[in-house]
mmCIF file of all heavy atoms in Angstrom:
data_model
loop_
_atom_site.group_PDB
_atom_site.id
_atom_site.type_symbol
_atom_site.label_atom_id
_atom_site.label_comp_id
_atom_site.label_asym_id
_atom_site.label_seq_id
_atom_site.Cartn_x
_atom_site.Cartn_y
_atom_site.Cartn_z
ATOM 1 N N GLY A 260 17.986 57.945 44.884
ATOM 2 C CA GLY A 260 18.502 59.342 44.714
ATOM 3 C C GLY A 260 18.772 59.770 43.337
ATOM 4 O O GLY A 260 19.354 60.763 43.030
ATOM 5 N N LYS A 261 18.312 58.893 42.334
ATOM 6 C CA LYS A 261 18.577 59.201 40.924
ATOM 7 C C LYS A 261 17.359 59.898 40.223
ATOM 8 O O LYS A 261 17.409 60.267 39.051
ATOM 9 C CB LYS A 261 18.931 57.900 40.225
ATOM 10 C CG LYS A 261 20.174 57.222 40.706
ATOM 11 C CD LYS A 261 20.446 55.929 39.974
ATOM 12 C CE LYS A 261 21.704 55.309 40.539
ATOM 13 N NZ LYS A 261 22.059 53.968 39.866
ATOM 14 N N ALA A 262 16.348 60.208 41.039
ATOM 15 C CA ALA A 262 15.140 60.917 40.411
ATOM 16 C C ALA A 262 14.378 61.500 41.623
ATOM 17 O O ALA A 262 14.393 60.948 42.710
ATOM 18 C CB ALA A 262 14.269 59.998 39.598
ATOM 19 N N THR A 263 13.626 62.562 41.363
ATOM 20 C CA THR A 263 12.797 63.103 42.367
ATOM 21 C C THR A 263 11.490 62.185 42.373
ATOM 22 O O THR A 263 11.336 61.402 41.392
ATOM 23 C CB THR A 263 12.369 64.475 42.018
ATOM 24 O OG1 THR A 263 11.566 64.596 40.846
ATOM 25 C CG2 THR A 263 13.573 65.400 41.920
ATOM 26 N N LEU A 264 10.667 62.307 43.390
ATOM 27 C CA LEU A 264 9.454 61.535 43.447
ATOM 28 C C LEU A 264 8.445 61.945 42.307
ATOM 29 O O LEU A 264 7.810 61.091 41.726
ATOM 30 C CB LEU A 264 8.763 61.719 44.802
ATOM 31 C CG LEU A 264 7.517 60.893 45.000
ATOM 32 C CD1 LEU A 264 7.860 59.361 44.796
ATOM 33 C CD2 LEU A 264 6.873 61.215 46.422
ATOM 34 N N GLU A 265 8.422 63.216 42.036
ATOM 35 C CA GLU A 265 7.580 63.696 40.881
ATOM 36 C C GLU A 265 7.990 63.086 39.598
ATOM 37 O O GLU A 265 7.264 62.584 38.758
ATOM 38 C CB GLU A 265 7.600 65.217 40.795
ATOM 39 C CG GLU A 265 6.715 65.825 39.724
ATOM 40 C CD GLU A 265 6.757 67.265 39.629
ATOM 41 O OE1 GLU A 265 7.496 67.881 40.438
ATOM 42 O OE2 GLU A 265 5.971 67.881 38.850
ATOM 43 N N GLU A 266 9.403 63.071 39.371
ATOM 44 C CA GLU A 266 9.867 62.488 38.088
ATOM 45 C C GLU A 266 9.594 60.985 38.066
ATOM 46 O O GLU A 266 9.238 60.446 36.942
ATOM 47 C CB GLU A 266 11.399 62.671 37.994
ATOM 48 C CG GLU A 266 11.853 64.125 37.731
ATOM 49 C CD GLU A 266 13.400 64.384 37.935
ATOM 50 O OE1 GLU A 266 14.067 63.506 38.609
ATOM 51 O OE2 GLU A 266 13.852 65.345 37.378
ATOM 52 N N ALA A 267 9.731 60.302 39.117
ATOM 53 C CA ALA A 267 9.434 58.883 39.218
ATOM 54 C C ALA A 267 8.061 58.542 38.848
ATOM 55 O O ALA A 267 7.672 57.616 38.060
ATOM 56 C CB ALA A 267 9.832 58.289 40.456
ATOM 57 N N VAL A 268 7.114 59.356 39.434
ATOM 58 C CA VAL A 268 5.630 59.134 39.186
ATOM 59 C C VAL A 268 5.344 59.443 37.757
ATOM 60 O O VAL A 268 4.596 58.597 37.034
ATOM 61 C CB VAL A 268 4.793 59.936 40.116
ATOM 62 C CG1 VAL A 268 3.328 59.887 39.689
ATOM 63 C CG2 VAL A 268 5.010 59.432 41.519
ATOM 64 N N ASN A 269 5.921 60.542 37.198
ATOM 65 C CA ASN A 269 5.687 60.847 35.791
ATOM 66 C C ASN A 269 6.233 59.726 34.835
ATOM 67 O O ASN A 269 5.588 59.485 33.793
ATOM 68 C CB ASN A 269 6.242 62.185 35.439
ATOM 69 C CG ASN A 269 5.475 63.308 36.025
ATOM 70 O OD1 ASN A 269 4.225 63.241 36.180
ATOM 71 N ND2 ASN A 269 6.130 64.453 36.210
ATOM 72 N N ASN A 270 7.396 59.195 35.261
ATOM 73 C CA ASN A 270 7.952 58.084 34.466
ATOM 74 C C ASN A 270 7.092 56.887 34.498
ATOM 75 O O ASN A 270 7.013 56.154 33.496
ATOM 76 C CB ASN A 270 9.439 57.836 34.922
ATOM 77 C CG ASN A 270 10.331 58.881 34.533
ATOM 78 O OD1 ASN A 270 10.128 59.613 33.559
ATOM 79 N ND2 ASN A 270 11.499 59.019 35.250
ATOM 80 N N ILE A 271 6.500 56.544 35.645
ATOM 81 C CA ILE A 271 5.557 55.443 35.724
ATOM 82 C C ILE A 271 4.427 55.655 34.715
ATOM 83 O O ILE A 271 4.017 54.701 33.992
ATOM 84 C CB ILE A 271 5.022 55.199 37.115
ATOM 85 C CG1 ILE A 271 6.172 54.909 38.112
ATOM 86 C CG2 ILE A 271 3.945 54.171 37.169
ATOM 87 C CD1 ILE A 271 5.742 54.855 39.602
ATOM 88 N N LYS A 272 3.865 56.839 34.677
ATOM 89 C CA LYS A 272 2.742 57.098 33.808
ATOM 90 C C LYS A 272 3.204 56.957 32.356
ATOM 91 O O LYS A 272 2.505 56.344 31.527
ATOM 92 C CB LYS A 272 2.170 58.523 34.032
ATOM 93 C CG LYS A 272 1.556 58.764 35.424
ATOM 94 C CD LYS A 272 1.106 60.177 35.671
ATOM 95 C CE LYS A 272 0.445 60.307 37.004
ATOM 96 N NZ LYS A 272 0.048 61.703 37.336
ATOM 97 N N THR A 273 4.338 57.601 32.017
ATOM 98 C CA THR A 273 4.828 57.518 30.592
ATOM 99 C C THR A 273 5.129 56.084 30.230
ATOM 100 O O THR A 273 4.681 55.663 29.058
ATOM 101 C CB THR A 273 6.135 58.397 30.496
ATOM 102 O OG1 THR A 273 5.819 59.743 30.835
ATOM 103 C CG2 THR A 273 6.609 58.245 29.026
ATOM 104 N N ASN A 274 5.802 55.333 31.048
ATOM 105 C CA ASN A 274 6.126 53.909 30.726
ATOM 106 C C ASN A 274 4.892 53.058 30.614
ATOM 107 O O ASN A 274 4.850 52.142 29.749
ATOM 108 C CB ASN A 274 7.162 53.408 31.718
ATOM 109 C CG ASN A 274 8.455 53.990 31.642
ATOM 110 O OD1 ASN A 274 8.884 54.602 30.614
ATOM 111 N ND2 ASN A 274 9.269 54.041 32.705
ATOM 112 N N THR A 275 3.927 53.397 31.452
ATOM 113 C CA THR A 275 2.681 52.552 31.371
ATOM 114 C C THR A 275 1.927 52.832 30.121
ATOM 115 O O THR A 275 1.353 51.879 29.498
ATOM 116 C CB THR A 275 1.775 52.821 32.593
ATOM 117 O OG1 THR A 275 2.506 52.623 33.870
ATOM 118 C CG2 THR A 275 0.512 51.978 32.581
ATOM 119 N N ARG A 276 1.861 54.107 29.697
ATOM 120 C CA ARG A 276 1.252 54.471 28.362
ATOM 121 C C ARG A 276 1.943 53.787 27.226
ATOM 122 O O ARG A 276 1.223 53.269 26.263
ATOM 123 C CB ARG A 276 1.159 55.981 28.240
ATOM 124 C CG ARG A 276 0.292 56.729 29.247
ATOM 125 C CD ARG A 276 0.063 58.073 28.843
ATOM 126 N NE ARG A 276 1.222 58.923 28.670
ATOM 127 C CZ ARG A 276 1.753 59.696 29.579
ATOM 128 N NH1 ARG A 276 1.238 59.659 30.768
ATOM 129 N NH2 ARG A 276 2.858 60.378 29.392
ATOM 130 N N HIS A 277 3.229 53.799 27.323
ATOM 131 C CA HIS A 277 4.044 53.124 26.219
ATOM 132 C C HIS A 277 3.724 51.615 26.187
ATOM 133 O O HIS A 277 3.614 50.986 25.044
ATOM 134 C CB HIS A 277 5.498 53.331 26.344
ATOM 135 C CG HIS A 277 5.960 54.768 26.073
ATOM 136 N ND1 HIS A 277 7.141 55.294 26.388
ATOM 137 C CD2 HIS A 277 5.223 55.824 25.457
ATOM 138 C CE1 HIS A 277 7.187 56.581 26.048
ATOM 139 N NE2 HIS A 277 6.120 56.897 25.504
ATOM 140 N N TYR A 278 3.617 51.078 27.393
ATOM 141 C CA TYR A 278 3.318 49.610 27.424
ATOM 142 C C TYR A 278 1.980 49.347 26.916
ATOM 143 O O TYR A 278 1.791 48.302 26.188
ATOM 144 C CB TYR A 278 3.402 49.199 28.964
ATOM 145 C CG TYR A 278 3.016 47.695 29.184
ATOM 146 C CD1 TYR A 278 3.783 46.706 28.428
ATOM 147 C CD2 TYR A 278 2.093 47.345 30.071
ATOM 148 C CE1 TYR A 278 3.401 45.377 28.681
ATOM 149 C CE2 TYR A 278 1.759 46.080 30.275
ATOM 150 C CZ TYR A 278 2.427 45.061 29.603
ATOM 151 O OH TYR A 278 2.016 43.752 29.833
ATOM 152 N N ALA A 279 0.967 50.137 27.213
ATOM 153 C CA ALA A 279 -0.412 49.962 26.663
ATOM 154 C C ALA A 279 -0.358 50.010 25.171
ATOM 155 O O ALA A 279 -1.125 49.222 24.525
ATOM 156 C CB ALA A 279 -1.266 51.013 27.242
ATOM 157 N N LYS A 280 0.438 50.804 24.563
ATOM 158 C CA LYS A 280 0.483 51.028 23.155
ATOM 159 C C LYS A 280 1.084 49.734 22.524
ATOM 160 O O LYS A 280 0.589 49.248 21.468
ATOM 161 C CB LYS A 280 1.384 52.196 22.738
ATOM 162 C CG LYS A 280 1.401 52.560 21.285
ATOM 163 C CD LYS A 280 2.184 53.760 20.968
ATOM 164 C CE LYS A 280 2.149 54.082 19.482
ATOM 165 N NZ LYS A 280 2.959 55.381 19.247
ATOM 166 N N ARG A 281 2.128 49.183 23.214
ATOM 167 C CA ARG A 281 2.815 47.955 22.699
ATOM 168 C C ARG A 281 1.742 46.765 22.872
ATOM 169 O O ARG A 281 1.729 45.929 21.932
ATOM 170 C CB ARG A 281 4.004 47.616 23.466
ATOM 171 C CG ARG A 281 5.153 48.562 23.280
ATOM 172 C CD ARG A 281 6.525 47.969 23.654
ATOM 173 N NE ARG A 281 6.565 47.608 25.106
ATOM 174 C CZ ARG A 281 6.785 48.435 26.073
ATOM 175 N NH1 ARG A 281 7.148 49.772 25.808
ATOM 176 N NH2 ARG A 281 6.851 48.003 27.290
ATOM 177 N N GLN A 282 1.017 46.806 23.907
ATOM 178 C CA GLN A 282 -0.026 45.719 24.076
ATOM 179 C C GLN A 282 -1.062 45.754 22.880
ATOM 180 O O GLN A 282 -1.364 44.635 22.375
ATOM 181 C CB GLN A 282 -0.786 45.835 25.449
ATOM 182 C CG GLN A 282 0.046 45.499 26.645
ATOM 183 C CD GLN A 282 -0.732 45.740 27.941
ATOM 184 O OE1 GLN A 282 -1.072 46.842 28.131
ATOM 185 N NE2 GLN A 282 -0.893 44.708 28.712
ATOM 186 N N LEU A 283 -1.428 46.877 22.668
ATOM 187 C CA LEU A 283 -2.484 47.053 21.536
ATOM 188 C C LEU A 283 -1.941 46.553 20.197
ATOM 189 O O LEU A 283 -2.631 45.851 19.465
ATOM 190 C CB LEU A 283 -2.970 48.422 21.433
ATOM 191 C CG LEU A 283 -3.980 48.929 22.443
ATOM 192 C CD1 LEU A 283 -4.214 50.391 22.443
ATOM 193 C CD2 LEU A 283 -5.305 48.198 22.234
ATOM 194 N N THR A 284 -0.644 46.845 19.870
ATOM 195 C CA THR A 284 -0.023 46.371 18.678
ATOM 196 C C THR A 284 0.000 44.909 18.678
ATOM 197 O O THR A 284 -0.277 44.220 17.595
ATOM 198 C CB THR A 284 1.419 46.941 18.532
ATOM 199 O OG1 THR A 284 1.378 48.345 18.621
ATOM 200 C CG2 THR A 284 2.084 46.484 17.390
ATOM 201 N N TRP A 285 0.285 44.307 19.842
ATOM 202 C CA TRP A 285 0.288 42.853 19.926
ATOM 203 C C TRP A 285 -1.083 42.208 19.671
ATOM 204 O O TRP A 285 -1.205 41.301 18.818
ATOM 205 C CB TRP A 285 0.849 42.447 21.283
ATOM 206 C CG TRP A 285 0.936 40.957 21.558
ATOM 207 C CD1 TRP A 285 -0.087 40.094 21.846
ATOM 208 C CD2 TRP A 285 2.207 40.206 21.569
ATOM 209 N NE1 TRP A 285 0.363 38.850 22.018
ATOM 210 C CE2 TRP A 285 1.666 38.908 21.851
ATOM 211 C CE3 TRP A 285 3.538 40.428 21.335
ATOM 212 C CZ2 TRP A 285 2.643 37.775 21.950
ATOM 213 C CZ3 TRP A 285 4.368 39.414 21.479
ATOM 214 C CH2 TRP A 285 3.976 38.159 21.724
ATOM 215 N N PHE A 286 -2.099 42.707 20.313
ATOM 216 C CA PHE A 286 -3.462 42.114 20.303
ATOM 217 C C PHE A 286 -4.086 42.268 18.877
ATOM 218 O O PHE A 286 -4.860 41.440 18.531
ATOM 219 C CB PHE A 286 -4.314 42.709 21.285
ATOM 220 C CG PHE A 286 -3.851 42.458 22.765
ATOM 221 C CD1 PHE A 286 -3.857 43.456 23.697
ATOM 222 C CD2 PHE A 286 -3.439 41.177 23.092
ATOM 223 C CE1 PHE A 286 -3.426 43.140 25.014
ATOM 224 C CE2 PHE A 286 -2.990 40.833 24.376
ATOM 225 C CZ PHE A 286 -2.972 41.878 25.249
ATOM 226 N N LYS A 287 -3.595 43.257 18.097
ATOM 227 C CA LYS A 287 -4.179 43.432 16.818
ATOM 228 C C LYS A 287 -3.853 42.305 15.915
ATOM 229 O O LYS A 287 -4.467 42.100 14.760
ATOM 230 C CB LYS A 287 -3.583 44.766 16.135
ATOM 231 C CG LYS A 287 -4.278 45.991 16.755
ATOM 232 C CD LYS A 287 -3.736 47.308 16.273
ATOM 233 C CE LYS A 287 -4.356 48.492 16.854
ATOM 234 N NZ LYS A 287 -3.759 49.794 16.465
ATOM 235 N N ARG A 288 -2.866 41.459 16.266
ATOM 236 C CA ARG A 288 -2.486 40.305 15.410
ATOM 237 C C ARG A 288 -3.380 39.121 15.619
ATOM 238 O O ARG A 288 -3.394 38.204 14.834
ATOM 239 C CB ARG A 288 -1.065 39.928 15.725
ATOM 240 C CG ARG A 288 -0.051 41.041 15.652
ATOM 241 C CD ARG A 288 1.390 40.479 15.963
ATOM 242 N NE ARG A 288 2.235 41.431 16.427
ATOM 243 C CZ ARG A 288 3.501 41.233 16.808
ATOM 244 N NH1 ARG A 288 3.958 40.021 16.754
ATOM 245 N NH2 ARG A 288 4.273 42.248 17.264
ATOM 246 N N TYR A 289 -4.226 39.160 16.676
ATOM 247 C CA TYR A 289 -5.051 38.068 16.963
ATOM 248 C C TYR A 289 -6.280 38.046 16.015
ATOM 249 O O TYR A 289 -7.091 38.933 15.952
ATOM 250 C CB TYR A 289 -5.561 38.100 18.396
ATOM 251 C CG TYR A 289 -4.606 37.701 19.488
ATOM 252 C CD1 TYR A 289 -4.632 38.317 20.728
ATOM 253 C CD2 TYR A 289 -3.529 36.861 19.232
ATOM 254 C CE1 TYR A 289 -3.707 38.074 21.675
ATOM 255 C CE2 TYR A 289 -2.671 36.534 20.190
ATOM 256 C CZ TYR A 289 -2.703 37.141 21.375
ATOM 257 O OH TYR A 289 -1.779 36.877 22.393
ATOM 258 N N GLU A 290 -6.357 36.868 15.268
ATOM 259 C CA GLU A 290 -7.465 36.703 14.347
ATOM 260 C C GLU A 290 -8.656 36.142 15.205
ATOM 261 O O GLU A 290 -8.468 35.566 16.202
ATOM 262 C CB GLU A 290 -7.136 35.737 13.221
ATOM 263 C CG GLU A 290 -6.035 36.333 12.357
ATOM 264 C CD GLU A 290 -5.634 35.339 11.318
ATOM 265 O OE1 GLU A 290 -6.211 34.256 11.164
ATOM 266 O OE2 GLU A 290 -4.668 35.645 10.440
ATOM 267 N N ASN A 291 -9.903 36.436 14.672
ATOM 268 C CA ASN A 291 -11.079 35.968 15.267
ATOM 269 C C ASN A 291 -11.326 36.471 16.707
ATOM 270 O O ASN A 291 -12.072 35.792 17.507
ATOM 271 C CB ASN A 291 -11.140 34.402 15.210
ATOM 272 C CG ASN A 291 -10.946 33.866 13.833
ATOM 273 O OD1 ASN A 291 -11.494 34.346 12.912
ATOM 274 N ND2 ASN A 291 -10.113 32.771 13.699
ATOM 275 N N ALA A 292 -10.688 37.582 17.090
ATOM 276 C CA ALA A 292 -10.897 38.157 18.380
ATOM 277 C C ALA A 292 -12.046 39.097 18.227
ATOM 278 O O ALA A 292 -12.264 39.836 17.248
ATOM 279 C CB ALA A 292 -9.610 38.808 18.830
ATOM 280 N N HIS A 293 -12.773 39.194 19.337
ATOM 281 C CA HIS A 293 -13.861 40.213 19.420
ATOM 282 C C HIS A 293 -13.407 41.495 20.148
ATOM 283 O O HIS A 293 -13.017 41.390 21.299
ATOM 284 C CB HIS A 293 -15.064 39.610 20.114
ATOM 285 C CG HIS A 293 -16.225 40.555 20.326
ATOM 286 N ND1 HIS A 293 -16.902 40.987 19.296
ATOM 287 C CD2 HIS A 293 -16.807 41.073 21.446
ATOM 288 C CE1 HIS A 293 -17.859 41.818 19.698
ATOM 289 N NE2 HIS A 293 -17.844 41.884 21.023
ATOM 290 N N TRP A 294 -13.393 42.509 19.438
ATOM 291 C CA TRP A 294 -12.933 43.827 20.018
ATOM 292 C C TRP A 294 -14.115 44.519 20.683
ATOM 293 O O TRP A 294 -15.184 44.636 20.098
ATOM 294 C CB TRP A 294 -12.247 44.718 19.003
ATOM 295 C CG TRP A 294 -10.899 44.288 18.674
ATOM 296 C CD1 TRP A 294 -10.544 43.316 17.862
ATOM 297 C CD2 TRP A 294 -9.631 44.952 19.174
ATOM 298 N NE1 TRP A 294 -9.167 43.236 17.790
ATOM 299 C CE2 TRP A 294 -8.632 44.147 18.521
ATOM 300 C CE3 TRP A 294 -9.387 45.965 19.918
ATOM 301 C CZ2 TRP A 294 -7.282 44.468 18.761
ATOM 302 C CZ3 TRP A 294 -8.059 46.218 20.218
ATOM 303 C CH2 TRP A 294 -7.018 45.601 19.665
ATOM 304 N N ILE A 295 -13.937 44.984 21.887
ATOM 305 C CA ILE A 295 -15.059 45.743 22.534
ATOM 306 C C ILE A 295 -14.483 47.165 22.925
ATOM 307 O O ILE A 295 -13.555 47.352 23.712
ATOM 308 C CB ILE A 295 -15.395 45.012 23.926
ATOM 309 C CG1 ILE A 295 -15.756 43.576 23.655
ATOM 310 C CG2 ILE A 295 -16.493 45.760 24.610
ATOM 311 C CD1 ILE A 295 -15.778 42.733 24.854
ATOM 312 N N GLU A 296 -15.047 48.097 22.231
ATOM 313 C CA GLU A 296 -14.718 49.525 22.522
ATOM 314 C C GLU A 296 -15.603 50.034 23.614
ATOM 315 O O GLU A 296 -16.776 50.389 23.342
ATOM 316 C CB GLU A 296 -14.892 50.409 21.137
ATOM 317 C CG GLU A 296 -13.829 50.004 20.193
ATOM 318 C CD GLU A 296 -12.447 50.446 20.493
ATOM 319 O OE1 GLU A 296 -12.318 51.517 21.117
ATOM 320 O OE2 GLU A 296 -11.443 49.755 20.168
ATOM 321 N N ILE A 297 -15.130 50.160 24.766
ATOM 322 C CA ILE A 297 -15.926 50.614 25.910
ATOM 323 C C ILE A 297 -16.078 52.185 25.815
ATOM 324 O O ILE A 297 -15.091 52.825 25.583
ATOM 325 C CB ILE A 297 -15.222 50.246 27.305
ATOM 326 C CG1 ILE A 297 -15.171 48.725 27.404
ATOM 327 C CG2 ILE A 297 -16.005 50.892 28.471
ATOM 328 C CD1 ILE A 297 -14.554 48.283 28.724
#
Side-chain angles (χ1 to χ4, degrees):
K261 296 178 180 177
T263 66
L264 184 57
E265 183 180 3
E266 288 170 339
V268 171
N269 286 334
N270 287 337
I271 295 172
K272 293 176 179 178
T273 299
N274 291 336
T275 305
R276 293 195 301 267
H277 289 168
Y278 177 56
K280 188 176 180 181
R281 292 198 302 275
Q282 286 177 302
L283 283 168
T284 299
W285 180 282
F286 297 135
K287 284 175 183 176
R288 306 181 206 178
Y289 287 148
E290 296 180 359
N291 303 319
H293 176 64
W294 283 78
I295 304 163
E296 292 289 328
I297 297 180

